[in-house]
Amino acid sequence: MSIRKLAVLLVLGGMAAIPALAHGPHSLESMAMPGATKTTSSSRATVSPAQLKPGKPQAMLIFVRDGRGRPVERFALQHEKLMHLIVVSDDLTFFDHLHPQYVGGGRFRVTANLPASGSYTAFADYLPQGGSPQVSALHLQAGSGSTASVPLTPDSPLSKRAGDLTVTLKLDSGSIAPGRQTPLTFFIKDGNGNPVTDLQPYLGAMGHLVVIRQSPVLTAADYLHAHPEDQGGHSMGAMAEMHHTHGERQQMAGMDQMAASQKAEPGSVSFKTVFPGPGTYRLWAQFQRNGKIITADYTIAV
Ligand SMILES: [Cu+2]
């Protein structure tokens, strides 16, 4: 048996534990949080092609259908975009954050570039108009072979170089437990060690945080998408609390100034998230400064 055939069998074997296998290996039922009230039947996304060449930008189409198989025609903006697509290698070493373009009829077009042969997962994050936020895990293959999920070692210290900045994640170790609101605060310093206070809004907030749990087969349940809370942020439902976690801006105007300055130190951006269970998590924090996006990545144990 060829290595490639074996890899395909391994992938299919891994998929068997997951619902919605009947929809094909590249389609997973979108997963909702327990207890969330659904206003529409759940939708699902598929991707074509799911087999790509490594190291080469290639166009893909993502097709979103409702529970009855009809195209979802209308989407609402979330954080300034109709769809966020987070692409990771299955070992969570590669990360890309893309914004597919809606081309109508439930279809989004995006150009992906998978750097090396192996297996990847793309998390499509979108909000059907009048519905609830959805995450679909789309499985992609570049060349042949799977990307083994090797155990990741938690980072210590939690300081990362990102461009010419240093981004340090501060965790209150006593508060990291599954199922509990966990504050995640990033301190951003320039090359001289001074706090960076001139971050620019990125996707309508002072930062963007993606959290993914390491898993032999990644599913939508392993994905947490977090943004700092918008200024004067509206209240969110229980499901939104889980998917789009709250954070505080480092700079706020007018009446909020005093309250904000008590909460946030200069050069810091805070998020809150709820880790759904114990495990090893990868975090990618993104900020914008001088028109450039910087990404700092971390591994933590919960
Ligand atoms: Cu995005």
Side-chain angles (χ1 to χ4, degrees), residues 25-30 45 121-124 135-139 218-221:
H26 306 303
S27 159
L28 282 178
E29 201 77 49
S30 296
T121 300
F123 296 95
V135 174
S136 297
L138 306 166
H139 295 284
L218 294 167
T219 71

Side-chain angles (χ1 to χ4, degrees), residues 51-84:
Q51 172 77 49
L52 301 168
K53 291 189 176 71
K56 188 169 170 262
Q58 280 156 98
M60 303 189 304
L61 275 180
I62 296 168
F63 190 14
V64 182
R65 276 171 275 213
D66 67 17
R68 292 189 224 166
R70 300 170 304 191
V72 173
E73 300 277 357
R74 288 165 177 274
F75 297 85
L77 288 171
Q78 290 190 106
H79 311 294
E80 303 184 338
K81 302 291 177 183
L82 293 178
M83 179 180 279
H84 302 264

